[in-house]
Amino acid sequence: MDTKISVVEEGALERVGSVFVEAFGHTPALLVADGITLKVGGFPVSRSLEKADIQVRQFIFPSEPQPYADEHAIAQVRLSLERDNSIAVVLGSGTLNDITKRASAELDRPYMVVATAPSVDGYTSYGAAVSVGGFKQTLPCAAPMVVLADTKVLREAPMDMIASGFGDCMAKYTAGMDWILADLVGVHPIRRDVWDMVQIPLRKVYAHHAGIAQRRGRSIGLLFDALSASGFAMQVMHDSRPASGAEHLISHIWEMEHLSKDGLPVSHGFKVSIGTLTITYLYEQLKQLDLANIPLTGAESWEEREQSITAFFPDESVRKQTLAIAKEKFLDGDALLTRREELVALLPALIERMDEQLPPYQELKEAMKEVGCPVSPADIASNLEGLRHAVTGAQMIRNRYTVLDLYYELGLFDLALDMLSGM
């Protein structure tokens, strides 16, 4: 089940009812929102549905504490949906969308999202990023059948939410670079049509970063379109590879540990912003490696690896899942030696592709700062040690080949962590 209807225009809130009827007929609707998004668009959305003769119930999360995408929140929405045959209409952005997406999927029902900010690419993606048993993961579920966004609402969203979306969009540079690496290593070939869906809109957004900082309508529209395109690309692949790389894995560690600032969770896009700059920096540092002196012998044993993971993840369920993933991708003996030789041989080609794919680190950092993204760990209430911690965990948690695996398999992961002091 993929997205069938997408409406992005000024005044779109007035069309919620007619678009709902077009997609779902006169089935009852369950409006899912929180105290904040209800104020943003709850009245016009409800009024539009009622004018279209749609019976509307509401499920409203409180404004504080902000809802968190986990199995408990999903169960709340699912139980409300189970009361009748309602179709969910979620009014919100990343967290509310993921909760509603998964709850609807568990009942095998379609749903509709009314976007309130250009803050994430998850609106249109296949799968929901949620925490289950404390472990951050992407659970399978269909994308919304309908996506509707009122550009006036998008422009008036809080600037930190716009900046969060810009940071999530810029992550496609490093996600793309990790996909190039995985393609060169031979573990995940690039699919060119999907690549273009993400990478072409990305470059338009980057060129318009000043307009986004100034809330210009066309620039904000380009940002939302690019984020939506990333979601559509994930729909096609049924995989988040086109839009998510090591930068998102760094974010996942912070999300699993509930990183907060001033008593509020740090947004997904802000955590990803730091991850994106970190991975861009680590890619640039590959140019400084002495290829002739990269060690081809000596490596961590699986027993040592297991001990490291056990120490990093004290929660038993999280540790068990991580150990299984790490074991699957762990190389030793001749397999590791062969991989190291391959990596050393492909590094020159990788560096050449980097110059085509990635903006210079300092240039990207300035653009992100202009829009309002965090550019140092301190901006999200972390520090250098917190960043090193997140990078360490990021390399462990997912069987997706990234530059962190390249450093690890070359025996240079500790060097990569030391490099981060130069960011």
Side-chain angles (χ1 to χ4, degrees), residues 16 70 96 113 129 167 179 196 222 237 256 358-359 406 415:
V16 170
D70 61 12
L96 288 173
V113 60
W179 199 1
D196 288 344
L222 286 172
M237 292 284 289
M256 290 162 64
L358 295 177
L406 179 147
L415 174 63

Side-chain angles (χ1 to χ4, degrees), residues 289 294-295 340 406-417 419:
L289 294 182
I294 291 178
R340 284 186 174 179
L406 179 147
Y407 274 105
Y408 179 78
E409 291 179 347
L410 286 176
L412 302 175
F413 195 76
D414 287 343
L415 174 63
L417 295 178
M419 288 173 177

Side-chain angles (χ1 to χ4, degrees), residues 398-411:
R398 188 80 177 270
N399 193 6
R400 167 168 293 172
Y401 204 86
T402 75
V403 71
L404 300 181
D405 296 305
L406 179 147
Y407 274 105
Y408 179 78
E409 291 179 347
L410 286 176

Side-chain angles (χ1 to χ4, degrees), residues 291-320:
L291 300 186
N293 290 308
I294 291 178
L296 294 179
T297 58
E300 186 178 41
S301 68
W302 171 248
E303 290 72 21
E304 292 170 325
R305 181 65 165 165
E306 188 174 18
Q307 290 174 4
S308 298
I309 292 171
T310 299
F312 192 97
F313 296 103
D315 182 272
E316 183 178 358
S317 63
V318 174
R319 181 171 63 250
K320 184 177 180 180

Side-chain angles (χ1 to χ4, degrees), residues 69 86 110 148 189 239 325 371 384 396:
S86 292
L148 184 143
D239 189 348
I325 292 168
V371 175
L384 177 59
M396 298 173 174

Side-chain angles (χ1 to χ4, degrees), residues 154 172 228 299 312-313 321:
L154 299 182
K172 312 322 167 198
S228 297
F312 192 97
F313 296 103
Q321 293 181 70

